[in-house]
Amino acid sequence: MKTLNLNPQTQSDPPRIINPLDPEEFKRQGYMMIDFLADYYGNVGKYPVLSNVEPGYLKKLLPSTAPLGPEPIESILKDVKEHIIPGITHWMSPNYYGYFPSSSSIAGFVGEMLSTGFGAVGFNWISSPAATELESIVMDWLGQVLMLPKPFLFSSNGNGGGVLLGTTCEAFLCTLVAARDKKLSQVGTHNIGKLVVYGSDQTHSSLQKAAQIAGINPKNYRAIKTKRSSSFALSPDSLLSTILLDVENGLIPCFLCATVGTTGTTAIDPVGSLCNVAKDYGIWVHVDAAYAGAVCICPEFRYCIDGVEHANSFSFNAHKWFLTNLACCCLWVKDHTALTNSLSTDPHFLRNKASESKKVIDYKDWQITLSRKFNSLKLWLVLRSYGVDNLRNFLRHHVEMAKTFEGLVRLDMRFEVVVPRNFSMVCFRIAPTAVANGLSNGTKFDPIGKILNDKHYLVNEINRKLLDLINSSGSVYMTQSEIEGDFVIRCAIGATLTEENHVIMAWTLVQEHANSLVGAFKK
């Protein structure tokens, strides 16, 4: 029989236990990371904005299994520089004009560091009182800056208040579930299949996804057609006629999304007029200002959300155009009990005297998830570090640069601005008249089953080709939209580092590539 050798001299050394939060090593790596990112921000304008890697590129460069032993941070950062950065589309680039901005700032970054460093999981008040209380304070601060009606604020001592979520997708789902349950409490849960959700054909697609998740019959999602004559805003008359038809067919109107600054065209839905239609049918109205809500802190843009006093909820993404690093969606509601009635849970392990006293906020009951980050630190630091006046001027600067770009487009007779510019996005394209004057020598298009004398097809193909040329250059990145079947290029100005010289360079690049497609512009 074998015996256990207890002689410590002959035993192998015990496994070494790592210390993942050694303060000195944290300082060393932290300084190294700050230097790395500072260099990145200093040089980000030199990188190709759009990554040109092929699908699956990274699998060929990295090992197929995780390392058993530790690797130094220096080696990891070397791989980041050589393998990761080439696969990044650089949203922080001053030459980034795609989608909508995902703005960043020192204050937002430092707030993110604090949030991550503290590691607080503030699902209820007792789990981190400061996280809950700072969030309610900051949401009132920002609500006041936006001049939101008092019923949306905690300071009104009513049922209103604000919560920080991750994205507008979450805001849609939370408010839609609240609206669903409120309506079902009136008409009976057996009628869930009759509930109808309304938006326009410009409303963000995440509303339709939220409706699907919330159990709304897919046939009962209404994307009401908008018109060029109304700048693609949702018409109250169109909404009313759609509602009346639904009611006539025995359906139950439930939820309406009014958008301020749509993704495709930055259209502005008439919030007040839509609310007036909705109120007669007990419809919950949510105002989605994911992109444009930020600029509404400027008094000259506040009119865009006029009528919000009649809505049930309002949201905007501070991570889009408000210097608050991803992810940070601000949602205000007039009656938080509608949220908590739908989203509350009360497991035994979370019970505590503070929650039972009903004197505190438990934000877990205002959202889908249980866990949540200390996101209010980011917003708090942004508001304190820059101040409201500087934030307003920062936003105005982007709007002025968009006006500059729009003016340059209008000076070139080959181009047209397709929809009125709102805020800091310009929708433009090579005009049909430029195509009618003939293609530049050597320009070829794959007809893909279309006939080459189809002018509408040709105009779209030329603009699609133009965008491909712009983006493949690596110097600029823009994205597209489709407006009544027309392929349109979107230039969304809002990256933190963008200045006027970048905008002028972007337009020069557009013109150069247009020359190869429809010939040079002759003044």
Side-chain angles (χ1 to χ4, degrees):
M1 187 175 77
K2 293 183 178 180
T3 59
L4 183 64
N5 186 350
L6 298 178
N7 186 342
Q9 300 299 320
T10 61
Q11 294 291 306
S12 61
D13 291 334
R16 177 176 173 269
I17 305 300
I18 60 172
N19 181 1
L21 277 178
D22 175 78
E24 293 305 314
E25 184 61 16
F26 180 69
K27 284 182 186 178
R28 187 184 79 83
Q29 293 193 27
Y31 290 140
M32 190 182 300
M33 192 62 67
I34 292 294
D35 287 342
F36 181 88
L37 286 172
D39 289 342
Y40 172 74
Y41 291 137
N43 293 291
V44 68
K46 301 174 184 177
Y47 291 115
V49 188
L50 179 65
S51 173
N52 60 7
V53 299
E54 295 294 328
Y57 89 100
L58 197 55
K59 188 175 182 180
K60 301 173 184 177
L61 300 173
L62 298 184
S64 59
T65 59
L68 293 177
E71 297 181 22
I73 187 64
E74 291 84 357
S75 296
I76 298 170
L77 283 179
K78 182 174 181 292
D79 282 349
V80 170
K81 185 176 292 186
E82 295 179 357
H83 303 325
I84 302 301
I85 285 181
I88 292 176
T89 292
H90 297 282
W91 289 64
M92 295 297 108
S93 172
N95 303 309
Y96 179 92
Y97 307 103
Y99 308 108
F100 279 134
S102 179
S103 62
S104 185
S105 66
I106 295 170
F109 187 88
V110 171
E112 184 71 48
M113 288 176 66
L114 280 173
S115 174
T116 302
F118 289 143
V121 186
F123 40 72
N124 58 13
W125 181 88
I126 198 66
S127 66
S128 194
T132 296
E133 298 200 8
L134 182 62
E135 186 162 330
S136 62
I137 291 168
V138 168
M139 289 302 286
D140 265 14
W141 279 10
L142 190 51
Q144 290 162 4
V145 173
L146 284 162
M147 292 187 285
L148 290 183
K150 287 185 177 180
F152 282 104
L153 308 180
F154 289 109
S155 57
S156 68
N157 296 317
N159 287 330
V163 57
L164 292 175
L165 304 174
T167 67
T168 294
C169 302
E170 296 173 49
F172 277 153
L173 184 55
C174 288
T175 53
L176 181 50
V177 166
R180 177 200 67 189
D181 291 350
K182 183 176 181 180
K183 181 63 70 173
L184 290 178
S185 71
Q186 300 165 358
V187 301
T189 56
H190 62 283
N191 280 313
I192 187 171
K194 296 181 180 180
L195 300 186
V196 185
V197 172
Y198 301 90
S200 79
D201 56 3
Q202 302 296 315
T203 302
H204 198 278
S205 58
S206 57
L207 177 63
Q208 186 172 9
K209 178 183 283 190
Q212 292 170 358
I213 296 171
I216 302 299
N217 187 331
K219 295 180 180 179
N220 293 349
Y221 178 81
R222 304 285 180 260
I224 300 171
K225 184 173 176 55
T226 57
K227 298 178 180 178
R228 191 182 296 266
S229 59
S230 61
S231 299
F232 300 101
L234 176 56
S235 160
D237 289 340
S238 297
L239 173 65
L240 179 58
S241 61
T242 305
I243 291 172
L244 289 174
L245 183 60
D246 284 334
V247 172
E248 183 180 331
N249 290 326
L251 299 177
I252 303 171
C254 177
F255 186 94
L256 165 67
C257 175
T259 307
V260 176
T262 60
T263 301
T265 63
T266 64
I268 303 169
D269 289 341
V271 175
S273 300
L274 294 173
C275 287
N276 287 338
V277 173
K279 69 179 181 181
D280 291 336
Y281 300 91
I283 298 172
W284 180 297
V285 180
H286 177 75
V287 180
D288 167 29
Y291 155 67
V295 80
C296 292
I297 71 168
C298 301
E300 65 269 30
F301 287 104
R302 175 56 177 77
Y303 77 93
C304 296
I305 59 172
D306 282 355
V308 70
E309 63 272 17
H310 303 301
N312 300 83
S313 51
F314 171 85
S315 66
F316 90 93
N317 288 344
H319 59 251
K320 272 191 169 66
W321 199 17
F322 204 69
L323 299 177
T324 309
N325 305 40
L326 191 73
C328 187
C329 173
C330 307
L331 168 67
W332 289 266
V333 291
K334 273 185 181 175
D335 181 8
H336 77 264
T337 62
L339 287 181
T340 56
N341 287 344
S342 295
L343 302 173
S344 292
T345 55
D346 187 31
H348 189 272
F349 75 96
L350 291 179
R351 294 174 187 171
N352 61 86
K353 291 182 179 179
S355 296
E356 291 168 0
S357 74
K358 304 298 182 183
K359 295 180 180 179
V360 299
I361 299 166
D362 287 343
Y363 272 125
K364 70 178 180 62
D365 299 327
W366 292 51
Q367 62 179 31
I368 303 298
T369 63
L370 172 63
S371 298
R372 62 199 325 270
K373 292 183 66 175
F374 198 166
N375 268 341
S376 56
L377 281 169
K378 291 189 292 189
L379 201 49
W380 188 50
L381 261 75
V382 166
L383 289 167
R384 292 190 63 186
S385 297
Y386 304 123
V388 173
D389 285 344
N390 284 325
L391 289 167
R392 285 172 174 154
N393 290 334
F394 175 80
L395 295 162
R396 288 169 177 146
H397 183 47
H398 283 146
V399 174
E400 289 304 312
M401 287 189 284
K403 289 180 181 178
T404 296
F405 188 88
E406 178 189 24
L408 292 170
V409 174
R410 293 188 185 279
L411 285 174
D412 189 328
M413 299 305 293
R414 298 172 300 173
F415 288 86
E416 64 178 355
V417 176
V418 181
V419 294
R421 178 200 51 77
N422 291 321
F423 316 115
S424 66
M425 190 179 86
V426 181
C427 293
F428 69 100
R429 67 170 180 164
I430 294 176
T433 53
V435 177
N437 291 332
L439 302 179
S440 180
N441 290 337
T443 302
K444 296 179 180 179
F445 295 97
D446 178 4
I448 319 176
K450 298 273 188 175
I451 55 174
L452 284 175
N453 62 1
D454 183 339
K455 289 185 178 179
H456 184 262
Y457 167 76
L458 277 177
V459 173
N460 281 349
E461 283 300 297
I462 288 170
N463 281 285
R464 187 176 286 109
K465 179 65 174 177
L466 175 60
L467 182 60
D468 287 343
L469 291 170
I470 292 168
N471 291 339
S472 62
S473 74
S475 299
V476 165
Y477 182 52
M478 298 180 185
T479 51
Q480 76 283 346
S481 183
E482 185 180 275
I483 301 175
E484 292 186 333
D486 295 336
F487 184 94
V488 173
I489 301 172
R490 299 166 68 259
C491 178
I493 297 169
T496 305
L497 298 172
T498 301
E499 295 293 344
E500 187 171 281
N501 62 294
H502 299 110
V503 173
I504 293 172
M505 182 277 288
W507 175 245
T508 300
L509 182 76
V510 171
Q511 286 186 305
E512 289 173 355
H513 287 300
N515 292 344
S516 68
L517 296 174
V518 293
F521 170 51
K522 298 177 182 179
K523 296 183 180 180

